[in-house]
Amino acid sequence: MNKILDPQLMAERIESLKAGILGGLSLMIAFFLTTLLNNLVLAKYFEQLGSLAIASLDLQWLVRAGIVCFSGLLFGVTYRYIIRSDKNPQLKAGGVLAFGLVRGLTQVDVGLSYSRDMLPFAVLGVESILWFVLAAFFLETAMQFGWIKPFESN
């Protein structure tokens, strides 16, 4: 039989797509919330965090939002395969930390290259981890309600 059109594989792909879409939406929600928090609280009341404020919705902001959405999509698909149907909390935490730390430490690395003030980049690093924690929460909730089926372990 043609493996591309195999009904079982197509069902798995659809579940992965659903997980990816939910992951992307989750990270977009987290991105909007942290952007709002940064603009209204952190940048306003903490002088060192003034660089976190976004003045307008320009092309740079749209590119950032696109990257966040794509990162969430990749996380959703990968998270579904990482945790499978196991109940292993280390796998779940490891997947979240892997994505969060890669994104967060990259921001810290860029901060080291362009600024002496590391606090804004450290805040962005912590935000990255929190974004993926939120996405994992939404994915876990969707799996508990049966909206997304976990990948079955062999």
Side-chain angles (χ1 to χ4, degrees), residues 34 38 42-43 46-53 64 103-112 114-128 131:
T34 55
N38 290 343
L42 296 180
F46 301 98
E47 188 178 320
Q48 283 186 302
L49 300 176
S51 63
L52 294 177
R64 289 177 63 200
R103 187 174 195 287
L105 292 175
T106 301
Q107 291 175 314
V108 171
D109 186 38
V110 168
L112 286 171
Y114 292 105
S115 175
R116 292 190 184 268
D117 188 13
M118 286 305 304
L119 185 59
F121 298 101
V123 168
L124 292 175
V126 170
E127 280 181 5
S128 294
W131 289 359

Side-chain angles (χ1 to χ4, degrees), residues 24 27-39 51-70 103 124 127 131:
L27 251 65
M28 287 300 295
I29 290 168
F31 173 68
F32 290 134
L33 290 175
T34 55
T35 299
L36 192 62
L37 177 72
N38 290 343
N39 281 356
S51 63
L52 294 177
I54 296 175
S56 65
L57 302 178
D58 56 1
L59 181 61
Q60 181 183 10
W61 187 88
L62 288 174
V63 170
R64 289 177 63 200
I67 291 169
V68 166
C69 189
F70 186 65
R103 187 174 195 287
L124 292 175
E127 280 181 5
W131 289 359

